[in-house]
Amino acid sequence: MAVIGAGPAGCAAAFALRAGGAQVALLGEDRRDRPRMDESLPAEARPLLRRLGVWEEFGRDGHPASPGIASAWAADLTFGDAFTAPLGRGWLVDRDRLDASLMAAARSAGATVLQGVRVTGARRDGDGWRLSLLRPGPAGGDCSLPHTGAVDDDGSLLRGCDDGSLPAARDDPAGASATMRAEFVVDASGRAGVLARSLGGPVQADRLMCVHARLDRPPEAACRTLLESAEDGWWYAAAVGGASLPGRVTVGFFSDPDVIRRTSAATPGGWHRLLRRTRHVFDLLGGPGPPPALRTVPAASHCLTRLYGESWAAAGDAGSALDPLSSAGVVTALRSGFEVAEGVRAALSGQYGVLAALQRRAHARYTSYLLERRDHYGIETRWPDAPFWLRRAARTRGSGLIPTPGWDDGPAPSPEVQGRPGRSSPS
């Protein structure tokens, strides 16, 4: 079977499926030119990291303990001490390093990791799927597909050529392409939902985006998470550093696409101008200069009306994604990966009840989340006429979900998904 997306949800799903004896190919894009935002990881992650066998390595990697959150949300700056949390302090993590550890855990469990590829299409093939894969690269460049564990027509693993390329690969102007067959597909490709968004019908609550940068961390900046609301959105910063980690701070501005365009927040000059207007974040970071580079990524809330179907299931943000303010992040993604793997094992024997129960729980959580999200944004009242805040002050309509079709106890037919290339952002 195939797992699309090599983030926390995908790695946990691949690890658990392999532990159950399944042949698994884990498909992950090359993210070297698209670093993830560093973020806080609560102490609830400890048993999940132990289950994956990466807890010891996590400790050696030197992720600093998080003292808590400094927040200026509709009020003066306040400090929350994580030491008083039920399970103690969490960590401020280097996401790229953490994701690499999780991918290594899936590989060690026996999953075949195909890194640096994109799923560009999918079609039904008997009881399973035929996936179209592309490894981007310049024509004539080094873009051959490595040994992938792709599943051939007879269900056996392709062994690859002596040079490590995939036998089914062919030249393509955009890189190297190939196909693989999978009995079951888990989409863990993040908000992109490479397969699931076409099959599950997402209901989106907003169009939140994040424009973020990595800056050098000044010596006086504490390793702490910072939040601050502003007229045009809100700011997030997480400073990491330690004996084995570079000292840096990830800073993100969250807003809607039209506001980002109007304020030029996706340009270094516009972004820096907005940062300078903050009451606290700019000063707490030592007054940094303009960012050397910016990345814009989706951060919208959504939930699929269908989180599974015939021979497919969604995990992590591909199925349900919450506002980053919820701090759901990595822990929720890991749990989702493990839970979906359990549901897939049952579905392979024709029992879809576990996946149906996961779907009902996801819908209930999302409905409750929408109310909590409205209340949290409602705390900020200083800019009632600003478009960003005006949208979030609007009353939540209904449950926020289209009623689930009447197939909770079994799979719905899966249409063909073709010609839909897109980047995944694993969750």
Side-chain angles (χ1 to χ4, degrees):
M1 64 186 66
V3 178
I4 305 174
C11 289
F15 180 93
L17 288 168
R18 186 68 192 112
Q23 291 183 336
V24 182
L26 178 61
L27 315 178
E29 291 190 14
D30 186 349
R31 299 190 57 87
R32 286 175 295 183
D33 61 339
R34 295 181 290 132
R36 302 296 301 267
M37 287 186 69
D38 300 322
E39 62 185 89
S40 58
L41 184 68
E44 287 85 350
R46 184 181 291 109
L48 300 171
L49 297 178
R50 288 188 185 280
R51 180 175 176 180
L52 285 161
V54 299
W55 173 246
E56 304 299 332
E57 181 181 354
F58 180 82
R60 291 192 300 270
D61 278 344
H63 302 279
S66 172
I69 296 177
S71 176
W73 195 270
D76 291 333
L77 190 66
T78 59
F79 294 87
D81 190 348
F83 184 74
T84 60
L87 297 180
R89 293 181 174 181
W91 305 268
L92 290 167
V93 298
D94 177 332
R95 270 299 305 273
D96 293 330
R97 186 172 293 204
L98 175 62
D99 285 5
S101 295
L102 299 178
M103 191 184 303
R107 183 183 288 110
S108 296
T112 301
V113 177
L114 199 168
Q115 194 171 3
V117 299
R118 185 184 306 168
V119 177
T120 59
R123 60 179 174 82
R124 296 293 308 180
D125 187 5
D127 293 333
W129 292 89
R130 176 71 60 175
L131 302 179
S132 299
L133 310 179
L134 175 70
R135 179 169 183 175
D142 182 15
C143 55
S144 61
L145 285 166
H147 168 42
T148 67
V151 184
D152 205 351
D153 291 331
D154 62 358
S156 62
L157 289 178
L158 294 174
R159 291 304 172 190
C161 302
D162 292 338
D163 62 359
S165 62
L166 187 67
R170 62 178 178 80
D171 292 334
D172 186 282
S177 62
T179 64
M180 65 174 290
R181 188 181 185 282
E183 180 181 9
F184 203 103
V185 175
V186 175
D187 187 347
S189 60
R191 283 179 168 84
V194 172
L195 178 69
R197 286 180 73 91
S198 296
L199 302 176
V203 174
Q204 192 158 310
D206 57 44
R207 300 181 65 201
L208 190 68
M209 303 287 290
C210 174
V211 185
H212 68 92
R214 282 182 173 177
L215 308 175
D216 291 335
R217 179 171 67 90
E220 65 274 14
C223 288
R224 181 185 293 273
T225 300
L226 308 175
L227 293 175
E228 181 175 344
S229 53
E231 181 176 3
D232 293 310
W234 57 274
W235 288 87
Y236 165 91
V240 302
S244 58
L245 290 174
R248 67 167 181 253
V249 58
T250 294
V251 186
F253 175 64
F254 290 80
S255 192
D256 296 328
D258 61 326
V259 179
I260 290 173
R261 287 192 296 270
R262 174 173 55 81
T263 59
S264 300
T267 67
W271 188 89
H272 187 250
R273 184 170 57 253
L274 292 174
L275 179 61
R276 288 180 61 89
R277 292 178 187 171
T278 61
R279 297 175 59 199
H280 304 285
V281 172
F282 181 75
D283 290 337
L284 288 172
L285 297 179
L294 291 170
R295 286 200 63 230
T296 302
V297 296
S301 302
H302 79 254
C303 186
L304 302 184
T305 56
R306 299 190 299 272
L307 279 81
Y308 73 99
E310 185 180 354
S311 302
W312 72 272
D317 283 353
S320 178
L322 309 184
D323 193 300
L325 280 176
S326 67
S327 300
V330 174
V331 169
T332 299
L334 290 172
R335 286 175 177 161
S336 175
F338 285 131
E339 291 171 349
V340 168
E342 180 183 353
V344 170
R345 286 196 294 268
L348 288 173
S349 61
Q351 304 299 317
Y352 280 81
V354 176
L355 289 176
L358 291 176
Q359 175 175 275
R360 289 191 293 268
R361 282 165 46 193
H363 286 177
R365 283 196 302 264
Y366 188 70
T367 299
S368 298
Y369 152 76
L370 287 177
L371 298 175
E372 295 169 358
R373 168 182 168 274
R374 180 198 63 187
D375 292 343
H376 188 79
Y377 275 104
I379 295 172
E380 179 55 82
T381 59
R382 288 177 290 176
W383 306 286
D385 297 324
F388 178 84
W389 297 101
L390 188 60
R391 290 164 185 155
R392 282 149 184 83
R395 184 175 181 179
T396 302
R397 297 172 181 169
S399 67
L401 287 173
I402 297 173
T404 304
W407 49 269
D408 272 354
D409 295 324
S414 297
E416 182 174 295
V417 182
Q418 278 282 54
R420 190 179 176 274
R423 288 189 180 276
S424 60
S425 52
S427 60

